[in-house]
Amino acid sequence: MKKDITCISCPLGCQLVVEKKNDDYIVTGNSCKNGIKYGIEEMTNPRRVLPTTIVIRGGLHPRLPVATSDAIPKGKIFDAMAIINQVVVDAPIQLGDVVVKDLLGTGIDVVATKSMPKVS
Amino acid sequence: MLYDIIILGGGPAGLAAAVEAYDEGAQNILILERDLELGGILNQCIHNGFGLHTFKEQLTGPEYAERYINQVKEKNIPYMLDTMVLELEDHGDTKIVHAINQEQGYMLLETKTAILTMGCRERTAGAIGIPGYRPSGVFTAGTAQRYINMEGYMVGKEVVILGSGDIGLIMARRMTLEGAKVKAVCEIMPYSNGLVRNIVQCLDDYDIPLKLSHTITFIDGKNRVEGVKVMQVDEHLKPIPGTEEYIPCDTVLLSVGLIPENEITRDADIAIDPRTNGPIVGELRQTDTPGFFACGNVVHVHDLVDYVSEESVLAGKGAAKYLRGELKTDANFETVNGEGISYVVPQHVCVDNLEQDLTFYMRVRNVYSDVVVNAVIGDEIIATKKSRKFLPAEMVNFKIKKEVLEKYPDGKITFRVDPKEAKK
Ligand SMILES: Cc1cc2nc3c(=O)[nH]c(=O)nc-3n(C[C@H](O)[C@H](O)[C@H](O)COP(=O)(O)OP(=O)(O)OC[C@H]3O[C@@H](n4cnc5c(N)ncnc54)[C@H](O)[C@@H]3O)c2cc1C
Ligand code: SF4
């Protein structure tokens, strides 16, 4: 298996080619060793933090920004969106409040990224 | 009441300047903000990636803002929300700020100094002149960002984005996650104006095509957008006949640049630099009119909020120094943009005011590798900034030691792109 990956560990943005040979991964196109680490991780287990919003009632705005507390597997992003989009909370909310526990069995929570007081 | 400092705008620049000025002893401060909350544009930037330099953590925009808002609240620095500043008047030692809000009506507020932190706004379709009707469905990327992330109003289903600035890239991902189909991002230049990480994580992750050297030449539709005509451009940015492609869509997002918001500054006769479209400032962000300071996006457009905070600390220090009567006014140096550099901030430097080393912020004109940026006085290279790559999208921050600057009496510091010295 072979994959083209752009390294984002620094602004140079090297075009990496990551190739699986038996049980080893071979990275080419990198200009430094950080590229090897990034390339292998991106090939074997790409993960992303997912920031989005949920519905909030009684707050200053109708939407509350939230994000996963850690990076989740990239392949689960759309499943995660489907779950997060169902969530409705009531103001007040404090930054860091958990709005979804253990998202999709990843052990990772979804938390509020903003405090929103109740407005009457 | 006579304030020490009135701060115009409660975004990250205004907040950081307020906190620093307070810590430096100026306690009679007032922040004026036209929005319903503090935090500025960060409130709508819900994505992560902020604060890597300042807090060594990846924060979202609202989280980054809240850290500063909490400091302002802990120090009991007063602020007025939903309050619009209309005008500034300079009467030497006193300044008058004209502002308006629903509760107090029209106010004339007196202050010894003012810090301008009004941020920037987006260029619009009118500003770039795309032919076609003006149907609904054309938004600036930042307006769409606010609608979706704060109001919960989805702006469209099938989207073409013009311009590959960071806000456009971020919105390509955001709209995709919310179920829209982003059909293309068109960029007239042969390179993107966005950060590499945003191209990878916002476009590549979702297989959104980035069409470099392409532009929208026509927006089709009378009431609502029905599609766009996209054409390839040549090296003079002129559309190439025969390359027309019609892309059906109901929404066009424009991410074609930001302009510092300086109507108030101009009306107050504060000198503006045509290169940055922001006020001319010194090392502590003093403008050419004594007692007025400016920092953040109102001075020059920053791509990372971390640098906004860094710069705003200088303005806070500067205002406090001015109030103590310690701010020296004779600049020794003028900064000049040489080959390959489009602007440099600050535009002048008075070394006596420096407490520490000074960072110069600048942008390069092109994508460069195998070059360095040199700071030159006369024929002498006084400092060199190295990087593997320089991009117009990434502001260069170039720190020069105070001791180095002190060696030279006065003159011009020219910043220029030079070929890398061959290794010996
Ligand atoms: C749409 C958009 C998206 C952006 N996304 C990012 C991003 O993802 N990452 C990043 O690092 N940077 C981003 N930026 C750049 C960002 O603006 C800066 O990082 C930072 O927010 C600038 O801080 P500031 O305080 O100078 O300006 P702002 O955050 O714009 O704050 C200016 C404040 O002044 C207030 N104001 C203006 N005029 C008046 C007036 N007359 N009276 C009273 N109040 C006034 C405004 O309401 C606002 O709150 C974005 C900019 C825009 C425009
Ligand atoms: S491989 Fe090294 S030099 Fe190249 S982009 Fe990655 S971190 Fe930068």
Side-chain angles (χ1 to χ4, degrees):
Chain A
M1 201 168 57
K2 221 171 158 180
K3 219 171 163 188
D4 295 321
I5 290 169
T6 309
C7 181
I8 58 166
S9 305
C10 90
L12 201 58
C14 295
Q15 292 298 327
L16 311 177
V17 180
V18 186
E19 200 173 345
K20 186 169 177 175
K21 278 214 175 122
N22 304 321
D23 277 342
D24 270 353
Y25 290 92
I26 302 185
V27 180
T28 48
N30 56 306
S31 308
C32 81
K33 64 179 191 312
N34 292 339
I36 300 176
K37 183 164 171 277
Y38 179 85
I40 294 175
E41 246 171 47
E42 197 54 23
M43 175 91 153
T44 54
N45 183 20
R47 299 174 84 91
R48 301 284 185 268
V49 169
L50 175 62
T52 179
T53 60
I54 58 172
V55 174
I56 183 166
R57 288 182 298 219
L60 181 62
H61 304 291
R63 288 292 181 281
L64 176 75
V66 298
T68 53
S69 57
D70 204 342
I72 60 167
K74 197 175 136 185
K76 294 199 170 168
I77 284 181
F78 282 96
D79 291 341
M81 282 299 290
I83 290 180
I84 298 170
N85 278 341
Q86 305 298 317
V87 180
V88 177
V89 295
D90 288 300
I93 285 281
Q94 284 302 311
L95 195 155
D97 284 357
V98 174
V99 298
V100 180
K101 252 204 114 42
D102 188 15
L103 179 70
L104 295 165
T106 55
I108 293 163
D109 299 333
V110 179
V111 299
T113 54
K114 180 182 169 80
S115 303
M116 208 178 280
K118 200 175 166 66
V119 291
S120 39
Chain B
M1 164 137 98
L2 177 64
Y3 288 96
D4 285 339
I5 307 178
I6 290 186
I7 297 179
L8 282 61
L15 296 172
V19 167
E20 181 65 22
Y22 180 93
D23 288 346
E24 288 271 323
Q27 296 192 351
N28 194 3
I29 302 173
L30 175 66
I31 303 171
L32 302 175
E33 168 56 51
R34 69 178 167 197
D35 214 330
L36 295 171
E37 57 185 343
L38 297 173
I41 218 83
L42 290 182
N43 285 311
Q44 68 186 61
C45 302
I46 63 160
H47 55 279
N48 59 315
F50 297 84
L52 277 171
H53 296 265
T54 313
F55 298 114
K56 308 280 176 263
E57 278 182 70
Q58 285 234 27
L59 304 173
T60 63
E63 287 173 305
Y64 188 95
E66 206 157 315
R67 299 214 171 178
Y68 284 91
I69 295 170
N70 288 343
Q71 291 186 51
V72 164
K73 289 185 175 162
E74 276 158 25
K75 294 176 200 296
N76 284 315
I77 300 174
Y79 55 88
M80 286 184 195
L81 300 176
D82 206 5
T83 303
M84 178 90 174
V85 175
L86 302 170
E87 201 184 324
L88 271 183
E89 272 177 46
D90 179 33
H91 298 278
D93 288 345
T94 350
K95 326 279 176 198
I96 299 176
V97 178
H98 295 238
I100 190 163
N101 69 22
Q102 298 228 337
E103 263 172 51
Q104 283 113 319
Y106 201 105
M107 295 173 278
L108 295 176
L109 303 164
E110 291 191 326
T111 182
K112 294 178 194 162
T113 68
I115 306 181
L116 284 67
T117 60
M118 292 90 75
C120 59
R121 63 182 145 75
E122 294 177 286
R123 287 208 171 88
T124 59
I128 53 167
I130 308 171
Y133 298 101
R134 289 283 169 263
S136 70
V138 182
F139 301 89
T140 63
T143 306
Q145 190 178 45
R146 188 176 170 101
Y147 279 150
I148 296 174
N149 291 345
M150 294 174 72
E151 321 286 341
Y153 163 69
M154 190 60 184
V155 297
K157 292 204 181 75
E158 300 200 311
V159 190
V160 173
I161 299 179
L162 177 63
S164 63
D166 286 311
I167 310 168
L169 300 177
I170 296 280
M171 285 311 292
R173 173 177 62 186
R174 186 73 189 114
M175 299 217 40
T176 306
L177 286 176
E178 290 294 348
K181 170 94 189 128
V182 179
K183 296 195 160 173
V185 175
C186 299
E187 169 60 56
I188 195 166
M189 303 303 285
Y191 54 83
S192 164
N193 282 311
L195 304 175
V196 176
R197 57 171 286 140
N198 284 338
I199 295 179
V200 171
Q201 297 201 338
C202 299
L203 301 188
D204 298 356
D205 270 9
Y206 301 96
D207 296 321
I208 298 168
L210 172 60
K211 290 173 170 286
L212 296 174
S213 297
H214 277 74
T215 191
I216 294 179
T217 51
F218 189 74
I219 297 178
D220 186 27
K222 273 195 180 144
N223 299 313
R224 177 80 197 193
V225 174
E226 288 169 15
V228 292
K229 205 196 297 172
V230 169
M231 288 175 82
Q232 200 181 333
V233 299
D234 63 18
E235 66 268 36
H236 308 294
L237 309 183
K238 288 257 177 315
I240 305 171
T243 61
E244 291 92 348
E245 179 192 357
Y246 185 84
I247 306 180
C249 60
D250 59 20
T251 304
V252 176
L253 296 191
L254 304 168
S255 174
V256 290
L258 302 169
I259 323 170
E261 175 110 38
N262 275 301
E263 282 68 25
I264 294 175
T265 323
R266 284 200 179 84
D267 287 347
D269 283 333
I270 295 169
I272 301 274
D273 184 338
R275 294 169 296 185
T276 54
N277 285 308
I280 292 174
V281 291
E283 68 293 336
L284 293 178
R285 299 304 181 265
Q286 62 275 46
T287 68
D288 276 5
T289 310
F292 286 135
F293 295 77
C295 55
N297 277 356
V298 81
V299 175
H300 58 127
V301 175
H302 297 64
D303 29 65
L304 289 178
V305 69
D306 300 76
Y307 297 136
V308 171
S309 304
E310 204 174 274
E311 176 176 279
S312 304
V313 165
L314 297 174
K317 274 192 204 302
K321 247 185 171 30
Y322 171 87
L323 289 167
R324 294 195 300 264
E326 293 169 6
L327 188 73
K328 309 237 170 37
T329 52
D330 335 299
N332 330 44
F333 295 110
E334 193 188 322
T335 59
V336 180
N337 43 310
E339 187 66 32
I341 301 288
S342 56
Y343 74 77
V344 184
V345 168
Q347 287 87 345
H348 48 79
V349 181
C350 170
V351 176
D352 282 349
N353 283 327
L354 293 180
E355 285 172 12
Q356 51 197 354
D357 304 339
L358 182 63
T359 301
F360 295 85
Y361 300 99
M362 62 205 70
R363 281 189 196 270
V364 294
R365 286 186 194 280
N366 255 307
V367 177
Y368 297 101
S369 37
D370 292 315
V371 301
V372 294
V373 175
N374 280 324
V376 185
I377 296 181
D379 299 329
E380 204 178 331
I381 294 175
I382 64 158
T384 299
K385 171 82 184 181
K386 293 185 184 143
S387 172
R388 289 168 188 269
K389 200 167 186 176
F390 291 97
L391 308 166
E394 300 194 6
M395 195 170 74
V396 180
N397 58 331
F398 187 160
K399 193 186 265 189
I400 302 185
K401 286 202 176 339
K402 187 180 175 194
E403 301 92 81
V404 172
L405 293 170
E406 277 169 344
K407 282 196 237 157
Y408 301 86
D410 50 28
K412 286 188 162 84
I413 312 178
T414 303
F415 291 87
R416 64 171 195 233
V417 174
D418 281 335
K420 211 182 258 179
E421 288 271 322
K423 282 211 182 84
K424 282 178 194 142

